[in-house]
Amino acid sequence: MKIEANDKEVQDIFSLGYFKIPRFQRPYSWEAEEVDSFWTDAVKENPENYFIGSMVVYQNRKPYFGVVDGQQRLTTITLILAALRNAFLRIEEKNLAIGIHKYIEKANIDNDDEFILNAETSFPYLQNHIQSFDGFNIRCDVGHEELKLKRAYDLITSRLYQEVPELKTLESKDPQGKLFQEDDIVVKKIKHIRDKVLALKLVFIQLENEDDAYLIFETLNARGRDLTTPDLVKNLLLKKLQSRSISIDKAKESWSRVVKKFDDITDSDVLDTFLLHFWISKFDYTSDKKLFSFVKNHIEVKGYQADKLISELSSSAELYVKIIRPESALWRNEEAEVRNHLIALRIFKVKQPLPFVLSLLRSYEDNLISLKNLKSSLQKVVDFHFCFNAITSQRSSGSIATSYSKLAISLSNINDKNEFQNIDNDLTRFIRRKMPEIDEFIVKFAELQYLDNMTKYKNLIRYSLNRLLPNGKNGITIDYGSLTIEHIAPQSYIGSEFNESSVASIGNLILTDSKLNTEVLKDNHPITKLMKLKEINYPLADVLIPQTAHWSKQEIQERVKSMATYLYNSLHY
C-alpha cells in the first residue's frame, strides 16, 4: 500500500480536482454542537495557519478523488464557503461571489461545470440549494438524510450574521448606485472570514486505490473513530457489490431502502439494534461490538452472498418496524391479537425476545407457521415477560438472550410447518425454567399504585386490568380501547376514610368508559359504585367487582391478592 502525506491549505486542496464521497460513507452527521465548535475554532478564534486534522483520499483517475476520512469537515467547509458566497451576493458584490464560488464549482476538462464536492447521499438538497450559485432562490424539499445539512447551513449562516451584523440591515445599494458607508466594512469582514477558511491547514493523505480505502476505512474505526456498526456493514456490502452502472447503483439503493424504513423512528440507535437482532435471529448469537466481524466472516470466509443479505435485511426491516411500532402498522382483523401482543412487549420495555419475535413474524410471512402458531408463541413470550420483567422485575441474564437467539435461528431454518412443534416445545421448557413463583408475583403485584400524581405504573396497571376483563361474556359490548383507570374509593377520600396507599393501590382500581364514570359512578361512595356496576350488569369478573358490603384497606388488600392469583394462573406456559 502506497501512502503519500503532505501539509496543505484548504484552498490548495479545493484546487486539486473533484472530491467524491464514496457510496460506503454515511450521510452528513454533524450535530449543531460540532458545527458550532468548528466555526468557533476555524473562524472566530482562528490563529494563523490553524490545523484542522487530516484528510484521507484515494485516486483512481485524475483529477477525481474519493474521500475516506474528512467528509464531515470537507462538507462543513463547503457550507461555509456557500454562506460567504451568498453574503457577497446579498450586498451585490457578484465578482467576489464568483471568486469564492470557484472553490465550490468549476469547469472540468470538457468545460462543463462540476461541483468540487460530490456527495451522493445528500442529493439533491446539497447540490441544488447550497452548492448552486443561485441555489438560495431554488425551492428544494429536504429529505431525512439532508436534515442535518440544512440545520448546519442555517447555523453557519446565523453565525456569519453574528460576525457581520451589518448584513441584517445592508441589503442593497441605494437607487443612485452609491455604496452605503458601511458597505466597505462588510466586504472587508467577509473577505477576512473567507481568507481564514481557505488558509486552514490539514494533512492530505493520498492512497493509490479504492481497495486500500476500504481497508483504511475499517482501520480508522478500529482505532476509535466514531463509525457505527451500520457504517461498517454498509461499507462491506457495497464493496462486495460494486456498481456496474454510472447512473444506477442498485446495491446502494437497496441499502437506502433498508435505512428509509426507520425514517420515522426517533431512537437514534434503532438501525444498530435492528442489525444485531436480525443477525442473532438468523445466523449467530453475538454482541454489537463483535457483530461486524461476524458479518464480514460470513461473507468473506463462508461465502454468503452480499446481495442476498441486503434483500433479507430489507424484508426483515419492514417486519422489525411492525414490532417496535405495532400501533402504526397495518394489520388484518384476524391479526389484532398479534398487534396487541407486540404492544404489550413495548409496555414491558423488553428487548431480549425481539430476535425470536422477528423470526416468528418472518416465518409467518413465509407461510412456514400458521397464524394460530404465531399467536400461541407470542402469548407465551408476552406472559413470561409480564411476570418476569413487568411485575417481578427480575434481572435478565445473558442466558435469556442466548436462548431466544437459539430458538430464533432454529425457527429460521425450518422448511415446513411440521417442524415448528419442536421449537414451540423448547420455548415452553425455557419459559417454565425461568418463570418466577406465584408468591413473588403476588408480593410485587401489590406494589402497583396509581394516582394523578403517581403515574409510573399507569400503562402496566392498565394492561393488567385489561387482562382481567372477560372476553365478551355476560353483558354489554364495550370498547376496551376507550376505557380509563378509575378509583373505586375516589382520590378525594384520601385523608378521611382512606390513606393514600389504599386509594392508589391496584386493588382499588377498575377500568370504565368515560360515560359510565361521569354519569353513573360519579364521585360516589365506593359501596355505591360497586352496587351500581352490578345493577347494570357491567361485564367485569368477580376479581374486579368483589361481592362485598364493605370497602376498606382490608378489602383492597384481599382484592389485590385475588387479582394477582387470577392473573398468574391465567399465564400460558
Side-chain angles (χ1 to χ4, degrees):
M1 180 189 299
K2 182 180 179 181
I3 301 177
E4 294 182 7
N6 297 285
D7 292 343
K8 290 185 181 295
E9 291 185 349
V10 164
Q11 58 187 333
D12 298 325
I13 292 171
F14 277 63
S15 300
L16 284 174
Y18 304 90
F19 297 90
K20 179 180 179 180
I21 308 299
R23 55 210 281 274
F24 59 78
Q25 290 273 30
R26 59 184 163 181
Y28 186 76
S29 63
W30 270 12
E31 303 287 352
E33 182 179 354
E34 294 164 297
V35 176
D36 204 30
S37 177
F38 186 85
W39 174 270
T40 300
D41 293 342
V43 176
K44 193 170 184 179
E45 300 176 359
N46 178 358
E48 188 177 354
N49 299 325
Y50 185 72
F51 178 70
I52 60 171
S54 62
M55 178 178 176
V56 183
V57 303
Y58 63 91
Q59 187 175 44
N60 286 332
R61 64 187 179 94
K62 295 181 178 180
Y64 295 93
F65 298 88
V67 180
V68 180
D69 185 44
Q71 172 197 357
Q72 309 299 324
R73 282 163 292 162
L74 196 63
T75 306
T76 304
I77 290 170
T78 299
L79 299 182
I80 294 174
L81 294 175
L84 293 171
R85 175 202 62 203
N86 293 345
F88 280 134
L89 289 173
R90 183 178 176 84
I91 59 174
E92 298 186 10
E93 292 288 350
K94 189 172 181 179
N95 283 337
L96 291 173
I98 293 172
I100 201 169
H101 187 69
K102 72 179 183 180
Y103 294 104
I104 300 173
E105 184 180 26
K106 64 182 178 182
N108 58 26
I109 195 171
D110 296 324
N111 202 33
D112 293 325
D113 287 339
E114 188 171 351
F115 293 126
I116 290 174
L117 177 65
N118 180 358
E120 299 174 10
T121 55
S122 304
F123 184 84
Y125 180 76
L126 177 64
Q127 292 82 352
N128 289 355
H129 188 67
I130 295 177
Q131 290 176 299
S132 296
F133 189 78
D134 58 351
F136 54 88
N137 290 320
I138 300 174
R139 186 184 181 280
C140 186
D141 294 332
V142 183
H144 178 74
E145 290 189 337
E146 291 84 56
L147 278 175
K148 289 184 178 179
L149 265 174
K150 181 182 185 304
R151 291 167 186 158
Y153 179 72
D154 290 345
L155 177 60
I156 287 168
T157 302
S158 69
R159 292 294 180 264
L160 175 59
Y161 276 48
Q162 289 174 7
E163 292 294 314
V164 191
E166 296 87 351
L167 280 170
K168 296 178 182 178
T169 56
L170 187 59
E171 296 187 355
S172 65
K173 302 176 179 71
D174 68 15
Q176 286 74 37
K178 295 179 180 178
L179 292 176
F180 287 115
Q181 185 177 1
E182 296 91 344
D183 223 2
D184 288 339
I185 299 173
V186 174
V187 170
K188 288 180 180 179
K189 285 185 177 181
I190 300 173
K191 280 185 174 182
H192 181 62
I193 295 172
R194 176 200 65 187
D195 295 343
K196 274 189 172 185
V197 173
L198 293 177
L200 293 172
K201 285 189 173 292
L202 47 76
V203 176
F204 187 77
I205 303 172
Q206 185 174 334
L207 307 169
E208 281 190 306
N209 54 60
E210 190 172 2
D211 288 338
D212 289 345
Y214 279 100
L215 179 60
I216 292 293
F217 185 78
E218 294 176 15
T219 304
L220 289 172
N221 181 71
R223 292 179 180 176
R225 296 296 178 113
D226 58 346
L227 301 176
T228 64
T229 299
D231 293 329
L232 293 169
V233 172
K234 174 186 176 183
N235 163 33
L236 176 66
L237 294 177
L238 297 190
K239 175 185 175 183
K240 292 297 179 183
L241 298 171
Q242 295 288 344
S243 177
R244 297 180 179 178
S245 170
I246 296 176
S247 58
I248 300 175
D249 191 337
K250 291 184 178 179
K252 184 175 179 298
E253 289 178 357
S254 297
W255 178 264
S256 295
R257 283 195 293 271
V258 173
V259 175
K260 283 183 180 296
K261 287 181 170 63
F262 299 100
D263 274 358
D264 296 330
I265 310 296
T266 56
D267 182 1
S268 59
D269 296 330
V270 65
L271 186 57
D272 303 65
T273 306
F274 161 67
L275 287 176
L276 179 63
H277 287 175
F278 165 79
W279 193 261
I280 64 180
S281 78
K282 192 173 179 66
F283 297 106
D284 315 275
Y285 181 78
T286 184
S287 64
D288 179 60
K289 290 183 178 180
K290 297 180 180 179
L291 176 58
F292 175 65
S293 62
F294 272 73
V295 177
K296 187 176 182 180
N297 180 70
H298 217 70
I299 290 177
E300 294 189 342
V301 178
K302 296 183 179 180
Y304 202 83
Q305 295 177 349
D307 56 349
K308 182 181 178 182
L309 183 58
I310 286 186
S311 175
E312 292 172 343
L313 282 168
S314 181
S315 57
S316 288
E318 192 168 338
L319 296 175
Y320 197 77
V321 171
K322 295 181 76 170
I323 292 172
I324 60 178
R325 292 282 294 275
E327 67 282 355
S328 302
L330 295 176
W331 304 91
R332 296 194 295 269
N333 290 336
E334 61 269 26
E335 296 171 341
E337 187 178 331
V338 175
R339 178 199 63 209
N340 292 339
H341 287 325
L342 297 178
I343 291 174
L345 291 176
R346 286 201 65 190
I347 293 172
F348 306 158
K349 299 178 181 178
V350 292
K351 291 186 177 181
Q352 298 98 326
L354 297 192
F356 180 59
V357 173
L358 177 60
S359 191
L360 282 170
L361 290 183
R362 197 163 52 219
S363 299
Y364 171 62
E365 289 288 318
D366 293 340
N367 200 32
L368 291 173
I369 65 173
S370 66
L371 179 59
K372 180 181 179 181
N373 292 147
L374 175 62
K375 291 178 180 178
S376 174
S377 292
L378 283 177
Q379 181 74 68
K380 292 177 184 178
V381 171
V382 167
D383 284 3
F384 170 65
H385 289 284
F386 172 61
C387 180
F388 188 88
N389 294 100
I391 300 298
T392 63
S393 301
Q394 303 284 332
R395 286 189 176 183
S396 298
S397 64
S399 64
I400 291 180
T402 54
S403 295
Y404 274 128
S405 177
K406 290 177 182 178
L407 290 167
I409 293 170
S410 297
L411 182 55
S412 295
N413 291 324
I414 68 171
N415 297 309
D416 59 63
K417 294 180 179 179
N418 295 327
E419 299 177 52
F420 174 73
Q421 190 57 52
N422 289 333
I423 295 170
D424 192 55
N425 291 339
D426 289 340
L427 173 65
T428 301
R429 284 191 288 268
F430 154 66
I431 289 175
R432 285 177 177 171
R433 288 197 309 269
K434 296 291 185 178
M435 187 70 78
E437 297 295 330
I438 187 172
D439 291 343
E440 185 176 6
F441 183 87
I442 292 172
V443 170
K444 291 292 186 178
F445 186 79
E447 296 177 2
L448 299 182
Q449 295 187 326
Y450 171 72
L451 293 173
D452 288 344
N453 62 346
M454 193 184 297
T455 59
K456 177 181 178 180
Y457 299 112
K458 181 178 181 179
N459 290 335
L460 180 55
I461 287 173
R462 179 182 169 80
Y463 173 81
S464 301
L465 294 176
N466 253 315
R467 288 191 63 130
L468 290 165
L469 293 170
N471 297 315
K473 298 178 182 178
N474 304 324
I476 59 176
T477 302
I478 57 174
D479 177 13
Y480 290 162
S482 67
L483 300 182
T484 58
I485 302 171
E486 302 298 341
H487 296 78
I488 298 175
Q491 297 182 70
S492 59
Y493 279 43
I494 295 174
S496 55
E497 298 183 41
F498 297 88
N499 60 30
E500 182 180 82
S501 180
S502 295
V503 174
S505 170
I506 192 172
N508 186 53
L509 304 177
I510 58 172
L511 289 178
T512 71
D513 59 45
S514 58
K515 182 178 180 181
L516 174 64
N517 187 54
T518 56
E519 297 181 9
V520 179
L521 302 181
K522 302 179 182 178
D523 208 22
N524 286 313
H525 190 276
I527 297 301
T528 304
K529 286 185 178 181
L530 295 175
M531 290 178 59
K532 287 183 177 292
L533 287 170
K534 284 183 280 189
E535 287 173 4
I536 64 172
N537 293 319
Y538 200 70
L540 301 176
D542 285 345
V543 290
L544 283 174
I545 305 301
Q547 306 294 322
T548 178
H550 302 283
W551 195 248
S552 64
K553 178 180 179 179
Q554 182 178 347
E555 280 76 29
I556 291 173
Q557 290 175 341
E558 289 176 357
R559 182 168 178 257
V560 169
K561 185 175 181 180
S562 178
M563 295 164 74
T565 302
Y566 181 92
L567 286 172
Y568 188 89
N569 289 334
S570 69
L571 298 176
H572 297 75
Y573 65 98

